[in-house]
Amino acid sequence: DIIRLEADGSYTTLVMKGGKNTIVSRTLKDFEDTLPKEKFFRIHKSHLINLKHIKDYSNLSGNFVTMTDGSRVEISRRKAPDFIQKIKTILKSV
């Protein structure tokens, strides 16, 4: 299970459940185009997250999500409105 993906130039780190990380030579854009949009959301130019692994959301002193692996990831100002709308849509369907 992928928790989140983090870009580093033309490489992407896949952060997996169980603490296993894998670095691959594909761009984050490649993964964004491939992974299902209903499960993954790009919250920042360098971060794509698995929505089911969000533990917490905070908009105090910036927008951040805390993931199930304990990582805290910033949501860009530009992506924040779309992210909030996506979360509201998910919560309505639950």
Side-chain angles (χ1 to χ4, degrees), residues 40-58:
F40 289 86
F41 190 85
R42 190 162 184 172
I43 61 171
H44 191 275
K45 67 179 179 179
S46 59
H47 293 282
L48 181 65
I49 63 168
N50 184 335
L51 295 168
K52 75 176 188 177
H53 284 282
I54 296 173
K55 185 176 176 183
D56 189 36
Y57 164 74
S58 174

Side-chain angles (χ1 to χ4, degrees), residues 5-87:
L5 299 94
E6 184 173 350
D8 184 12
S10 60
Y11 293 91
T12 300
T13 301
L14 283 71
V15 178
M16 312 290 281
K17 262 172 74 173
K20 184 178 178 186
N21 296 350
T22 304
I23 298 173
V24 294
S25 61
R26 287 179 56 193
T27 65
L28 194 59
K29 177 76 170 131
D30 290 341
F31 286 102
E32 183 180 20
D33 292 341
T34 305
L35 293 169
K37 299 202 182 316
E38 64 276 0
K39 295 182 181 182
F40 289 86
F41 190 85
R42 190 162 184 172
I43 61 171
H44 191 275
K45 67 179 179 179
S46 59
H47 293 282
L48 181 65
I49 63 168
N50 184 335
L51 295 168
K52 75 176 188 177
H53 284 282
I54 296 173
K55 185 176 176 183
D56 189 36
Y57 164 74
S58 174
N59 62 356
L60 301 174
S61 66
N63 288 301
F64 292 90
V65 290
T66 302
M67 304 303 290
T68 56
D69 69 335
S71 60
R72 188 171 180 227
V73 184
E74 180 182 7
I75 304 167
S76 73
R77 276 188 252 149
R78 195 182 65 129
K79 297 284 188 172
D82 292 337
F83 173 75
I84 292 167
Q85 185 61 43
K86 181 79 168 181
I87 294 300

